[in-house]
Amino acid sequence: LSPRGPQRAMAPYDVDAEVARQLQEEEDRAAMGQQQRSRNPIPGNNVGIFEGRLRSSLHGVLQYEQTQLQQRALAVMPLQRLKDEASREASGPAEQDALVRALMYWFKHEFFSWVNNAPCDACGCTATSAQGNAPPTNEELAFGGNRVETYRCNTCRNVTRFPRYNDPGKLLETRRGRCGEWANCFTLCCRAVGVEARHVVDWTDHVWTEVYSHQLGRWVHCDACENAWDKALLYEQGWGKKLSYCVAFSVCGVKDVSMRYTSNWEEMKTRRSAVPETWLARTCQFMTNKVRASMPQQQRTALVVRDLAETLQLAALSAGVQGSRQENLPGRQSGSEAWRLSRGEMGAGTSQGQAGKQVAGWTTGGYRGVVTVSGEHYLGSEEAINLFDGKPGTKWLDFGAGEGKPSWVEFRFWDAIPKSAFEYSLTSGNDSPERDPKNFILEGQLRGSGDWVVLDTRQGVYFGERNQERKFVVAKSLACVAYRLTIRELRDPANANSVQLTGFGLAFVEGRYEDVPELSSAALQVVQGCVQRLAQRADAVEVKELVLVVLMAVVKYPTNKKLRTLRLENPKVKRLLVDSGALPLLFTAGFSRQSRPRPASSTSIRGGDEREELVVLPEPSMEMLQQVRAVANAVDRAFLNPEAVSDGKPLSTDTLAPCASSSGKPQGRAVGPQAVASSPPTLLGEPQTELNHPPEFKLQLADLVKTEFQKLVSEGGLPANEAAVKALANVQMRLKEASPGV
């Protein structure tokens, strides 16, 4: 809530906005004092202020567990109506998430109201002027109203008091306030309907709610002020805030969740100078242990598993192993325009839907840039930014295609550094299959040139499902400063009035790769023979995708030895290594058999088998990587049409057809290396990224394994060695179940 700088933009006619802003700053000045001191730390002082705020926030959330208070909350909400809405939207574990979304919509649009200037309590006039603060009365103090703002009515001159209540029960009566009151009351409502919820405090100037989703297996961001669900990067990438500490409080403890709310953890850490990181971690753990002390052992153990799973999830986010977290999000919606401008939280704003308009965007490759499109449906919120938000419920729509004009999407890197795309993806819309792209080209623009070079051409592309993602290997990979997708023809031009796509993504590889060379006649014969044999099998597409995953992982991460070493111990890789239809494809790409001594520890476990057989790709040169890409490209296109591969002839895109299964039906799975992600694949062995955990995580993990071990020894009667191994396996399994995708 501190001013963003001297150049605050204010609405010219709103004289009271400056006074209101000063009141808002004064309201949190005491709490924000530590934020100011963090810039010039005073030894021994910041810790006390920080700890006091932690304890105060934890004490506040314990009120949500009062049965009488929850009953009061249930009495004011249309619970049955909300449950009916949720059941129509989803079923099973997902129904709880739908209930929270319905509750949030009701809370924002029907129950709670935002206060800029408090309206006159005498005549109801909303034109009031801020007069400063007044001392609180005993009654106001009883409900946490330590601060009282006053406003004079411009009509009747009456002075209205606006206590900033901090008691959630009182807020059920007043039903108004700013973000603090909103998050406080909404979190109570979530607990009242039986949803696990916690109150999140942002140490700069905002508060919101998190709810635990059993469907997703994680905590989900939920901001009632913005009606925002699972948009953790809203404040950083939408509002433009520089976050430092985000701490979640609930009846089950205290958790530093800052990693969830940033896409650049290393940068955020430079702003976290208020207290030592180890002190914060241990203090949060101490407070958590204290509130859990009276819980049954079984409940405490379950919560520890969830804590560890969340730590894994947050560490994976901060390390970037789950891909790019760039999103296109709006600026702040709650509050008057003048107030939002003064705080610098308006964001980039919204654009008008005109041809050639530009918006900020991100690709699946994690690079930020500017998107330019031929047109969009602005009134229907079907805009270009939706192509890059990763959300299946949004899309881009352009009516220009319905008029017989080609539609196009251009992505230009902000840093103007050329990058080579080895793969791109398109995701079909949620309805109207006649609007699907059928024929299209991908072009690139070289640095210093205004000309566009055709990199890939596709014809006859078929989307078998709605919101289906299809991936395509780029035929000509050049280092470009911009990429453009041009849609030349739709699936059913006679009945389509527009073109639509849910997503458009690009995957990049560092370094420059020239045109994919033609394979030799012998290599093409091998590819064609393997594809023709595999095409007769029911698992043809699955085997093809696995081959492409292996090949393209090597192209994208050429220095990763683990990706170039295929072991029989890995079940998925073993499937390729014993498949006479797939193994020749790997040999053609440059892999070869090797035999080497097995590690001593592994030999003792396996009972004397001293050597292991491997399929290895040597240290790759540029020529070898070109060969790998050429084989992947040939396999990709050969599976589209086995007859398209011929000796020594370039692959013709005119012969491309939808990939079909043995039943003749178009496959719903995308063409190309499906599982290639922005992080190294894990199917080839151990995880490729080591997550950096705090010491407390390791101690918690050790305690959990110890508890499991003692249970197996005392109740199961297992020998110590066997119990230790099984305890480790059980804990690992529980963590995998609790943290899906990590």
Side-chain angles (χ1 to χ4, degrees), residues 232-233 237 259-263 317-318 323-327:
L233 298 182
Q237 297 186 3
M259 290 181 181
R260 179 175 293 119
Y261 295 95
T262 180
S263 60
L317 291 175
S318 66
S324 168
R325 297 188 67 214
Q326 303 284 7
E327 296 185 44

Side-chain angles (χ1 to χ4, degrees), residues 618-641:
E619 190 73 30
S621 62
M622 182 60 71
E623 293 73 17
M624 182 172 291
L625 290 176
Q626 292 281 47
Q627 176 76 0
V628 174
R629 288 199 69 250
V631 172
N633 183 59
V635 170
D636 179 30
R637 292 177 178 269
F639 265 92
L640 288 173
N641 188 342

Side-chain angles (χ1 to χ4, degrees), residues 240-459:
K241 290 171 63 64
K242 299 295 184 181
L243 303 174
S244 57
Y245 297 95
C246 301
V247 184
F249 301 87
S250 74
V251 68
C252 295
V254 182
K255 180 74 173 179
D256 180 5
V257 294
S258 305
M259 290 181 181
R260 179 175 293 119
Y261 295 95
T262 180
S263 60
N264 191 336
W265 171 239
E266 293 302 318
E267 180 186 2
M268 177 185 275
K269 285 197 297 186
T270 64
R271 298 189 292 270
R272 291 166 60 93
S273 57
V275 294
E277 295 290 343
T278 53
W279 176 90
L280 177 59
R282 291 173 180 171
T283 302
C284 290
Q285 190 60 52
F286 173 80
M287 293 182 175
T288 298
N289 293 341
K290 190 172 182 179
V291 298
R292 293 179 182 177
S294 60
M295 296 180 181
Q297 176 62 45
Q298 185 176 1
Q299 183 181 4
R300 293 202 305 269
T301 302
L303 289 173
V304 170
V305 172
R306 181 182 290 183
D307 292 343
L308 292 170
E310 184 176 21
T311 302
L312 287 174
Q313 294 161 358
L314 295 176
L317 291 175
S318 66
V321 302
Q322 291 183 309
S324 168
R325 297 188 67 214
Q326 303 284 7
E327 296 185 44
N328 289 281
L329 297 166
R332 186 166 192 160
Q333 307 298 309
S334 53
S336 68
E337 182 176 353
W339 183 68
R340 287 178 284 149
L341 281 170
S342 69
R343 295 161 56 89
E345 296 174 352
M346 292 288 288
T350 55
S351 56
Q352 306 300 316
Q354 73 275 10
K357 78 102 182 177
Q358 296 183 345
V359 297
W362 295 266
T363 71
T364 53
Y367 293 101
R368 199 171 185 180
V370 174
V371 177
T372 309
V373 292
S374 54
E376 61 183 3
H377 186 208
Y378 173 71
L379 295 179
S381 298
E382 295 165 333
E383 304 171 84
I385 58 174
N386 297 334
L387 289 169
F388 303 95
D389 63 6
K391 309 294 184 183
T394 63
K395 65 183 177 183
W396 164 66
L397 185 143
D398 179 17
F399 284 108
E403 302 170 359
K405 303 175 184 178
S407 293
W408 50 268
V409 180
E410 175 189 322
F411 186 92
R412 185 172 299 275
F413 300 111
W414 277 3
D415 58 14
I417 298 176
K419 299 169 184 64
S420 300
F422 71 88
E423 180 187 78
Y424 64 105
S425 64
L426 302 180
T427 305
S428 59
N430 63 325
D431 58 8
S432 304
E434 67 273 7
R435 300 173 178 172
D436 291 345
K438 177 183 177 183
N439 301 337
F440 49 86
I441 61 172
L442 180 69
E443 300 171 288
Q445 191 176 75
L446 305 179
R447 179 153 56 183
S449 171
D451 298 330
W452 290 93
V453 179
V454 177
L455 306 178
D456 195 66
T457 303
R458 299 281 166 165
Q459 295 185 1

Side-chain angles (χ1 to χ4, degrees), residues 304 698-708:
V304 170
K698 299 174 183 178
L699 292 175
Q700 281 185 297
L701 185 60
D703 288 341
L704 187 62
V705 174
K706 181 180 178 181
T707 301
E708 186 73 14

